[in-house]
């Protein structure tokens, strides 16, 4: 049923190559001292019900450094005789378990197919890791992910034996490596951009399919199923965050995800949904009238949000502060709301973060980094100073206006009652200007009115 839509997509990009994983590990260890040990554990399974788990997704850091996605695994880097050695502890092969749970790469698969120097069954973790920790001065580990590792590290630091007394050996410092990894992950490589672009293209087509499927009486969950069905059909692992599909007043709830209502003729629907491919997220929001025709009031708000989004995208340039898109979007929105008579303050007053009226209708940020995490890592203000945009950084641009007539905290203008509009694209910073990775997703009023309700099959 999705064949026609599928034909618009490029072929599926390959996963990151082994050499690139090795380069990432090298960039990390270049910041270490020889007596450092780095430990990264996979997160536990999350329970859905009784003995049923949610589909497993490992940590983005583990995917970034190794590409390894199996649970119950630990990645360690240590220095041995002046050389950095990476080790992966994994679930060993076990035919009986594999009959029930699925095939495992095991130690052999880890060594053959992943960028690691050594691989062990995870039953060897305790004895090997405690020895390596005892030889370390500093341990890079994020606490609270794996209790067993937390205890091993704690033991190694607390140990008061003859070796520590005589030779001063044993770790004296434990550091969270998140900051180092976040810095590496902030700038995307060519292969990461290719994989993200695929996730963006899939989500763009999925949104267009939902537009085409829209008609009076369709339900939010039916539109959700069109979008998420296409995510799977197109070879992604599914959503990168739970889809937000809200019609009418539900569109004015930023992270609405009940998705159970019926869509009425005069309503605008807001869908915020993205696909994940090889761990890489896309994050798109589009808003459109269920009828396929904007009312005058809906058109006024939609065009204003679109103008603010285009101004914000234009601010996504090398050398600008990461706050530039937000400033641009807020200015256009405030000017527009003054023009439409929604805000009665001056522009400066409207933009004031404490007393400005803009924040009644636009209460979130315009951008976040995007990558392996949809709200990707990357420090926004390193050392307290706003980050300057560089080539390879990827961020969303997602201004919106939300006129929730149900809200007791504001006097909602009647003309715009229950109109919620957000327009979100994913943008790559390049030295040639912003590249909108989600550009295939329709967003002009003309395109939306042409497409909504026009089914492909
Ligand atoms: N989908 C969540 C966000 O746009 O940040
Ligand atoms: Mn977003
Ligand atoms: Mn979003």
């Amino acid at each position: 049923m999705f064949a026609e839509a599928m034909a618009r997509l490029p072929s599926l990009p390959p996963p990151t190559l082994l050499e690139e994983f090795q380069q990432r590990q090298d960039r990390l260890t270049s910041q270490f001292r020889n007596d450092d040990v780095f430990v990264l554990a996979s997160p536990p399974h999350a329970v859905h019900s009784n003995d049923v788990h949610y589909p497993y997704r490992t940590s983005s850091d583990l995917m970034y450094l190794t590409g390894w996605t199996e649970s119950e695994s630990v990645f360690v880097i240590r220095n041995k005789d002046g050389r950095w050695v990476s080790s992966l502890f994994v679930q060993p092969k076990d035919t009986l378990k594999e009959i029930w749970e699925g095939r495992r790469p095991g130690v052999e698969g880890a060594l053959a197919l992943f960028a690691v120097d050594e691989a062990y069954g995870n039953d060897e973790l305790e004895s090997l890791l405690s020895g390596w920790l005892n030889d370390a001065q500093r341990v890079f580990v994020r606490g609270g992910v794996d209790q067993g590792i937390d205890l091993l590290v704690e033991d190694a630091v607390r140990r008061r034996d003859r070796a520590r007394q005589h030779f001063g050996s044993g770790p004296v410092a434990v550091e969270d490596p998140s900051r180092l990894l976040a810095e590496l992950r902030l700038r995307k490589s060519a292969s990461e951009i290719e994989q993200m672009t695929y996730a963006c293209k899939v989500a763009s087509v999925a949104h267009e399919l939902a537009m085409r499927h829209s008609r009076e009486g369709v339900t939010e969950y039916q539109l959700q199923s069109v979008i998420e069905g296409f995510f799977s059909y197109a070879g992604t692992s599914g959503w990168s965050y739970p889809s937000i599909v809200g019609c009418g007043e539900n569109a004015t709830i930023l992270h609405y995800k009940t998705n159970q209502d019926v869509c009425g003729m005069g309503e605008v629907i807001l869908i915020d949904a993205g696909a994940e491919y090889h761990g890489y997220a896309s994050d798109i929001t589009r808003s459109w009238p269920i009828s396929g025709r904007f009312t005058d009031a809906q058109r006024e708000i939609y065009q204003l949000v679109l103008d603010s989004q285009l101004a914000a995208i234009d601010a996504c340039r090398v050398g600008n502060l990461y706050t530039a898109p937000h400033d641009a979007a807020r200015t256009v929105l405030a000017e527009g709301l003054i023009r439409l008579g929604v805000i009665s303050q001056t522009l400066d007053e409207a933009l004031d973060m404490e007393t400005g009226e803009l924040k009644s209708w636009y209460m979130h940020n315009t951008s976040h980094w995007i990558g392996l995490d949809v709200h990707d890592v990357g420090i926004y203000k390193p050392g307290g100073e706003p980050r300057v945009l560089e080539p390879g950084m990827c961020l969303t641009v997602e201004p919106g206006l939300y006129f929730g007539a149900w809200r007791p905290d504001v006097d909602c203008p009647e003309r715009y009652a229950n109109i919620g509009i957000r327009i979100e694209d994913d943008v790559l910073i390049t030295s040639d200007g912003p590249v909108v990775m989600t550009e295939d997703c329709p967003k002009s009023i003309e395109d939306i009115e042409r497409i909504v309700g026009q089914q492909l099959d």
Side-chain angles (χ1 to χ4, degrees):
M1 75 183 274
F2 289 131
E4 198 178 333
M6 194 65 200
R8 298 203 206 153
L9 295 175
S11 50
L12 277 71
T16 306
L17 295 175
L18 255 55
E19 298 83 70
E20 187 169 330
F21 287 117
Q22 187 60 55
Q23 284 164 10
R24 295 173 185 176
Q25 294 173 24
D26 292 346
R27 278 206 296 274
L28 181 66
T29 53
S30 71
Q31 302 174 70
F32 290 168
R33 301 193 296 252
N34 278 7
D35 47 15
D36 288 339
V37 168
F38 170 83
V39 185
L40 186 59
S42 63
H45 285 278
V47 173
H48 179 267
S49 64
N50 194 17
D51 56 352
V52 175
H53 292 130
Y54 284 101
Y56 187 72
R57 187 194 189 271
T58 193
S59 80
S60 299
D61 285 339
L62 203 41
M63 274 197 271
Y64 181 77
L65 288 176
T66 67
W68 183 261
T69 56
E70 302 281 310
S71 65
E72 291 168 54
S73 310
V74 180
F75 179 61
V76 181
I77 309 180
R78 71 187 197 281
N79 196 290
K80 194 172 153 197
D81 306 325
R83 197 176 67 85
W84 290 104
V85 179
S86 60
S87 308
L88 197 54
F89 292 84
V90 304
Q91 296 186 91
K93 290 197 76 64
D94 179 330
T95 305
L96 193 59
K97 290 227 168 84
E98 290 181 54
I99 288 171
W100 283 90
E101 296 166 6
R103 305 296 300 277
R104 297 173 175 178
V107 170
E108 303 78 3
L111 273 177
L113 303 171
F114 292 83
V116 291
D117 300 313
E118 300 174 347
Y120 303 96
N122 46 18
D123 48 346
E124 293 192 75
L125 176 72
E126 193 172 328
S127 64
L128 286 175
L129 182 58
S130 53
W132 298 339
L133 290 174
N134 281 341
D135 291 338
Q137 283 285 293
R138 188 168 58 162
V139 184
F140 281 103
V141 66
R142 186 186 297 172
V145 177
D146 183 310
Q147 229 179 2
I149 286 177
D150 288 352
L151 285 174
L152 278 181
V153 172
E154 215 178 293
D155 270 2
V157 173
R158 262 210 307 248
R159 187 173 52 80
R160 285 285 174 271
D161 62 8
R162 288 168 65 87
R164 186 183 283 271
Q165 193 164 10
H166 282 261
F167 309 113
S169 67
V172 292
V174 178
E175 278 192 34
D176 187 328
S178 304
R179 186 181 47 86
L180 299 178
L181 289 163
E183 200 60 28
L184 294 180
R185 285 174 48 190
L186 182 55
R187 298 161 189 85
K188 273 66 178 174
S189 70
S191 100
E192 290 186 289
I193 290 163
E194 196 187 359
Q195 292 169 80
M196 285 181 72
T197 301
Y198 188 73
C200 288
K201 284 185 178 295
V202 170
S204 299
V205 173
H207 276 259
E208 183 179 327
L209 289 174
M211 289 177 194
R212 292 186 179 279
H213 207 79
S214 293
R215 55 183 159 72
E216 186 183 11
V218 74
T219 59
E220 292 166 347
Y221 53 83
Q222 285 167 345
L223 294 179
Q224 176 184 358
S225 80
V226 169
I227 290 214
E228 294 178 5
F230 188 68
F231 287 172
S232 296
Y233 192 91
T236 73
S237 55
W239 50 252
S240 50
Y241 55 91
S243 304
I244 296 165
V245 184
C247 211
E249 72 170 34
N250 299 334
T252 69
I253 297 168
L254 303 182
H255 284 170
Y256 172 82
K257 41 192 158 326
T258 318
N259 302 356
Q260 290 297 313
D261 268 356
V262 179
C263 300
M265 199 57 174
E267 294 179 336
V268 167
I269 187 155
L270 181 156
I271 298 191
D272 183 344
E276 182 175 296
Y277 181 67
H278 293 161
Y280 288 94
S282 55
D283 183 3
I284 300 183
T285 309
R286 288 292 184 267
S287 316
W288 62 88
I290 285 295
S291 69
R293 286 288 297 175
F294 287 94
T295 64
D296 288 348
Q298 290 165 354
R299 185 182 300 265
E300 285 158 19
I301 298 304
Y302 188 90
Q303 190 61 50
L304 176 52
V305 175
L306 182 56
D307 290 345
S308 76
Q309 203 233 11
L310 295 174
I313 290 173
D314 193 55
C316 293
R317 292 183 183 276
V318 172
N320 278 358
L321 299 182
Y322 86 94
T323 46
H326 188 48
D327 293 341
R330 291 184 84 240
T331 302
V332 173
L333 289 175
E335 284 170 346
L337 291 182
I338 293 169
R339 195 174 59 243
L340 293 172
V342 173
I343 291 181
S344 50
Q345 298 172 314
T346 65
L347 180 61
D348 283 347
E349 287 167 352
L351 291 169
D352 189 280
M353 292 308 292
E354 300 299 319
T355 55
E357 287 177 29
L358 178 63
K359 70 177 192 313
S360 295
W361 317 113
Y362 181 43
M363 59 295 276
H364 59 78
N365 275 322
T366 301
S367 300
H368 54 79
W369 307 126
I370 183 165
L372 283 167
D373 290 303
V374 64
H375 292 176
D376 207 30
V377 293
I379 295 163
Y380 289 100
K381 291 185 181 177
E385 293 301 316
R387 171 87 62 182
V388 175
L389 296 175
E390 293 172 34
M393 293 178 179
C394 295
L395 70 171
T396 64
V397 179
E398 49 178 306
L401 288 172
Y402 312 92
F403 294 99
W406 53 273
R407 286 169 53 190
D409 64 318
V410 283
D411 223 354
C412 181
E414 211 177 308
R415 180 172 175 77
Y416 303 125
N418 289 330
I419 295 177
I421 306 277
R422 177 161 69 252
I423 306 174
E424 175 173 27
D425 282 306
D426 303 340
V427 175
L428 163 69
I429 306 293
T430 79
S431 42
D432 296 328
V435 171
V436 180
M437 293 183 287
T438 44
E439 67 180 356
D440 297 343
C441 194
K443 70 177 172 184
S444 71
I445 288 181
E446 196 184 15
D447 282 349
I448 285 178
E449 292 194 333
R450 184 172 48 79
I451 287 167
V452 170
Q454 304 300 311
Q455 293 208 19
L456 274 185
D457 49 353

